Amino acid sequence: MPIGEFSEHSGLSAKRLRNYAAEGLLVPAAVDAGSGYRYYSPGQLRDAQLIDTLRAAGMPLADIAAFLRDPSTEHLDAWVTRVEADATRRRAAIECARGLLADEKRQGGQPMTGWTTASRVDIGRVRETNEDAVVSTDRLAIVADGIGGLPGGETASAVAASAMDAAFTERSLDELKAGARAANRIIWETAASTSDLAGMGTTLCAAGLTENGTVVVVNVGDSRAYLARAGSLTRLTHDHTVTAELVERGELTTDEAADHPHRNVLTRAVGIGPDVELDVTEIQVAEGDRLLLCSDGLHRELDDDDIETITAGPERIDVVVDELVGMALSRGGRDNVAVVVAELRA
């Protein structure tokens, strides 16, 4: 049947059908070579409605394609687990936002005007070179963890840190995002034109204090940002790794992910393609809050409880940084370790 008739029977618009065809999800049964007109078979009605139903459930197109190749209730159960885990994470974030708002009201909505930072980068006990880079100023904190081996990894992390620092002049979220995209473009083009740097890239986690006193965070990869407040720790970022996605889908537990052979495989990084997808978080902060940014050399050796005990404790932030790095080294120090801690002030 022609696309118009198929659209009527399936309840999907012709535009949506063309989009599904472009994604390889619902390819027309026949296409007129002369006119390019599309024809569908009645047997495709079920697939069309199934695809649209799964999209309404929020399932990504890639997951729908995998499901269509191997449709099973087990895959749907895994998606339900993932949705429930995501809902739990979102509720926790909303409660964190509620607490931030309450603290802001208690302080009369006074904006934060600055922060004090401390930072440290350590080569670790196993690696022969350092590919981590940090920026630690009164308005900006950055951790970048280079990939691709020397000289590429070291170059990529340094370029990312420098580009972000240069972009954040007026202290706005737009500048922070523009800096990340500029870093991606520079690294991608440099890698393409320089054989010694082919394949280089970097993770990136940057937190900036804006002019209006909020904190904005941009991250790509598995370097992380945390917020420490009133003795507790909240993770602000999401790891872009194969194992993190498997945990979200309910296919791995957190403990299983820690020892998984693909635990180091990134699904996003700066500089590995012409464009980069950024995660962005904006939060209200209060005096005395602490932000921790770190590379995976820290959070792969320490769990969040360890990090909370040290970061949310009473010690000065320079002491906190040294204790975090020292504990990571004592647990093996199997990677470079980069840490920045920023403490907010009114």
Side-chain angles (χ1 to χ4, degrees), residues 291-338:
L291 288 167
L292 164 67
L293 276 65
C294 65
S295 64
D296 66 339
L298 182 77
H299 64 75
R300 289 233 171 101
E301 304 291 0
L302 280 61
D303 61 28
D304 283 4
D305 288 340
D306 293 326
I307 296 173
E308 179 180 81
T309 299
I310 297 173
T311 308
E315 292 83 2
R316 299 190 319 270
I317 59 173
D318 58 328
V319 176
V320 167
V321 167
D322 286 341
E323 287 189 359
L324 288 170
V325 174
M327 184 175 286
L329 297 178
S330 71
R331 300 272 177 91
R334 290 166 289 183
D335 199 352
N336 309 144
V337 185

Side-chain angles (χ1 to χ4, degrees), residues 90-100:
R90 290 173 184 268
R91 282 195 295 269
I94 290 171
E95 290 306 313
C96 178
R98 196 189 306 277
L100 293 170

Side-chain angles (χ1 to χ4, degrees), residues 35-334:
S35 66
Y37 207 77
R38 302 159 186 251
Y39 295 89
Y40 292 83
S41 69
Q44 291 181 290
L45 284 170
R46 173 188 166 276
D47 285 347
Q49 292 166 343
L50 182 59
I51 292 167
D52 211 49
T53 299
L54 294 175
R55 283 297 292 153
M59 186 177 288
L61 295 177
D63 288 355
I64 294 175
F67 176 79
L68 292 175
R69 289 192 296 269
D70 181 23
S72 69
T73 56
E74 287 80 7
H75 285 168
L76 294 178
D77 291 341
W79 176 249
V80 170
T81 301
R82 180 178 177 181
V83 169
E84 290 174 346
D86 185 59
T88 299
R89 180 174 60 83
R90 290 173 184 268
R91 282 195 295 269
I94 290 171
E95 290 306 313
C96 178
R98 196 189 306 277
L100 293 170
L101 182 60
D103 281 351
E104 182 188 17
K105 288 180 178 178
R106 283 194 292 271
Q107 294 189 19
Q110 184 178 18
M112 298 299 101
T113 59
W115 61 29
T116 304
T117 60
S119 64
R120 179 175 167 186
V121 177
D122 196 287
I123 196 172
R125 299 194 182 280
V126 176
R127 298 294 180 91
E128 296 181 355
T129 56
N130 174 54
E131 297 178 326
D132 286 1
V134 302
V135 170
S136 178
T137 74
D138 63 353
R139 70 184 190 280
L140 186 63
I142 299 172
V143 166
D145 181 359
I147 60 176
L150 280 177
E154 182 180 40
T155 301
S157 62
V159 167
S162 178
M164 297 288 283
D165 192 16
F168 198 62
T169 57
E170 299 297 325
R171 297 169 60 175
S172 71
L173 173 57
D174 286 343
E175 287 178 328
L176 208 60
K177 293 190 291 186
R181 294 191 176 102
N184 186 81
R185 184 174 61 255
I186 294 168
I187 295 169
W188 169 252
E189 293 177 352
T190 303
S193 62
T194 309
S195 59
D196 289 346
L197 301 177
M200 71 173 176
T202 184
T203 71
L204 178 64
C205 186
L209 181 63
T210 67
E211 284 289 347
N212 64 8
T214 62
V215 169
V216 289
V217 179
V218 170
N219 78 287
V220 181
D222 62 354
S223 292
R224 292 180 181 174
Y226 295 86
L227 173 68
R229 164 176 288 177
S232 63
L233 190 75
T234 302
R235 192 192 303 180
L236 300 176
T237 55
H238 171 75
D239 292 346
H240 303 133
T241 63
V242 169
T243 52
E245 291 187 0
L246 291 174
V247 169
E248 281 197 356
R249 295 177 188 176
E251 298 176 27
L252 282 181
T253 67
T254 302
D255 290 341
E256 290 170 339
D259 297 320
H260 196 277
H262 294 155
R263 63 186 180 276
N264 296 323
V265 179
L266 298 172
T267 56
R268 286 192 224 170
V270 174
I272 62 172
D275 300 305
V276 62
E277 183 179 356
L278 309 174
D279 278 3
V280 178
T281 305
E282 186 168 5
I283 59 172
Q284 297 292 330
V285 288
E287 187 170 14
D289 286 350
R290 288 177 175 177
L291 288 167
L292 164 67
L293 276 65
C294 65
S295 64
D296 66 339
L298 182 77
H299 64 75
R300 289 233 171 101
E301 304 291 0
L302 280 61
D303 61 28
D304 283 4
D305 288 340
D306 293 326
I307 296 173
E308 179 180 81
T309 299
I310 297 173
T311 308
E315 292 83 2
R316 299 190 319 270
I317 59 173
D318 58 328
V319 176
V320 167
V321 167
D322 286 341
E323 287 189 359
L324 288 170
V325 174
M327 184 175 286
L329 297 178
S330 71
R331 300 272 177 91
R334 290 166 289 183

